[in-house]
Amino acid sequence: MSARSISAVRVGVYLLFISLLFPFSAYSDQVQTHDKNVTQYKLLVLGDSLSAAYGLRAEQGWVSLLQDYWNEANKPIEVINAAISGDTTDGGLARLPRLLELHQPTHLYIELGGNNGLQGHRPKKIKDNLAQMIELAKQNDIAVILQEIQIPTNYGRRYTQLFTQNYHQLAQEYGVPLVPFFLEEIALDSSLMQNDGIHPTAQAQPMIVEFLAPKLAPLIVQGAQNLGG
């Protein structure tokens, strides 16, 4: 075989290699793009024991189950659980700047205030703390979802009314969505509550997901799209 023929064969092999390489490169780019779009939204859950799977394994809690639910439904939402048992609005406010910096969420779900209420804190103090959390999130272009919290009526009618009104007033003042208290019906069934009468059982956790998932997903995905996200 002449030198010219050998050269032609080499060029042909090289072109064949390139033709085979490009389809794989294109496929790889598509996969990478898809992977980047898997998580378009990050929901940071800032809560207390009601969201921290108190008395249960972490994977049994509604926050973990909500992530599983959205994974199965191919929702591009990552749920970050920053709930701590016993936390108050004071603690949440103190932790929030670091959490926002660390996780860079697109949405903040505030489930706090119950422990403040159980400790008899002034409703105005609770409201002020929640307001500062909402303002901090908005300053960082993070959408806020506020969870209504209710406390037992044995704290007195006036106090419990002032306590719950905080959430409705804040939602109206700041224009943020307010999600109804997810234990309102569950708490009426003692079989779904732990012995302390405050925390839901493992059996109740999927029920919380069923209650919250259809309310939260539109607020996160459709709400972001409406804002151009």
Side-chain angles (χ1 to χ4, degrees), residues 23 27 30-31 58 87 102 109 137-138 142 169 176-177 186-187 209 220:
Y27 176 76
Q30 291 173 2
V31 171
D87 204 7
L102 179 64
Y109 175 86
K138 284 181 169 290
I142 298 167
Q169 291 170 357
V176 299
I186 291 174
V209 174
I220 296 171

Side-chain angles (χ1 to χ4, degrees), residues 12 18 27 40 42 70 86 91 128-129 148 178 180 197 226:
I18 293 298
Y27 176 76
Q40 296 178 8
K42 282 187 180 182
W70 279 340
D128 287 346
N129 287 342
E148 179 193 55
L178 180 67
N226 292 337

Side-chain angles (χ1 to χ4, degrees), residues 1-15:
M1 182 179 293
S2 65
R4 181 177 297 180
S5 298
I6 294 174
S7 177
V9 170
R10 287 177 177 173
V11 170
V13 170
Y14 175 78
L15 291 176

Side-chain angles (χ1 to χ4, degrees), residues 41 48 56-57 71 76 85 98 104 118 149 155 179 192 202 213:
Y41 313 104
D48 52 31
L56 310 171
R57 299 191 306 276
N71 286 345
S85 293
R98 173 58 178 158
Q104 299 290 309
L118 295 177
I149 302 295
Y155 283 78
V179 177
L192 296 175

Side-chain angles (χ1 to χ4, degrees), residues 130-148:
L130 291 169
Q132 290 183 63
M133 285 185 260
I134 294 172
E135 290 174 0
L136 180 59
K138 284 181 169 290
Q139 290 168 8
N140 288 274
D141 296 321
I142 298 167
V144 176
I145 302 171
L146 186 60
Q147 171 65 68
E148 179 193 55

